[in-house]
Amino acid sequence: MISQNQTLPAVSLTQLTEDGMQTLTNETLFAGKKVVLFAVPGAFTPTCSNAHLPEFITLADKIKANGVDAIYCVSVNDAFVMKAWGEAHNAQEIEMLADGDASFTKALGLDKDTAGFGGVRSTRYAMIVDDQKVTGLFVEQGKEFVVSRAEAVLAEL
């Protein structure tokens, strides 16, 4: 599993924009930026939709006021689902990124197999990334939802 003070692995994520499907590299997403990234097991799932994403939407301005250039939400879903999920929650301050084949999640060592529920998914976590280097890592244990909450991340900025 990736740890604090390590550089993110070079893996691409996708995003559906008005200009079509975009493939985004670590250079594009993280180079020269301070970013908060949070990952959820699945778009449109209960805790993710009722708490995790909404909390980051609510606190986005306060998070960015602490020198954060961007807030990214990542899930092992396709870019179409991530775009629709972001629109359903009016997540204008959050960039919704897809890890469709779980390559980013696996490279971080934060994947889990949910078997019949959905297959390979992401562990719930948040991280602070400064110029591609992880400066804060907050990984939930089991089904907990404590350390990756927006309030908890904000307190670490």
Side-chain angles (χ1 to χ4, degrees):
M1 175 172 66
I2 195 158
S3 60
Q4 197 162 313
N5 298 318
Q6 285 187 311
T7 300
L8 289 175
V11 181
S12 299
L13 294 164
T14 57
Q15 183 179 46
L16 185 60
T17 69
E18 292 178 10
D19 297 327
M21 191 68 67
Q22 307 293 315
T23 299
L24 306 168
T25 65
N26 281 10
E27 280 287 315
T28 306
L29 293 168
F30 302 103
K33 298 177 188 173
K34 184 173 183 179
V35 172
V36 168
L37 178 149
F38 68 101
V40 298
F44 293 105
T45 57
T47 302
C48 305
S49 289
N50 297 333
H52 211 173
L53 178 60
E55 288 177 4
F56 272 96
I57 293 167
T58 300
L59 293 176
D61 290 341
K62 288 182 180 178
I63 290 169
K64 289 183 175 180
N66 280 276
V68 172
D69 299 300
I71 303 170
Y72 301 147
C73 177
V74 175
S75 184
V76 181
N77 288 108
D78 64 57
F80 299 98
V81 169
M82 292 302 288
K83 181 175 181 3
W85 190 41
E87 288 173 351
H89 285 273
N90 197 27
Q92 297 171 353
E93 295 293 321
I94 314 292
E95 292 195 46
M96 307 300 285
L97 303 174
D99 185 18
D101 63 357
S103 58
F104 180 77
T105 300
K106 288 177 182 176
L108 295 175
L110 291 168
D111 56 304
K112 64 180 180 178
D113 189 350
T114 61
F117 169 73
V120 175
R121 296 289 181 135
S122 177
T123 300
R124 186 181 306 280
Y125 68 90
M127 64 173 62
I128 301 167
V129 181
D130 198 344
D131 195 21
Q132 302 188 64
K133 184 178 182 182
V134 178
T135 59
L137 181 62
F138 318 102
V139 181
E140 299 291 358
Q141 300 301 311
K143 293 187 178 191
E144 288 184 351
F145 179 48
V146 179
V147 299
S148 68
R149 298 181 85 111
E151 304 88 23
V153 175
L154 179 59
E156 297 293 329
L157 291 171

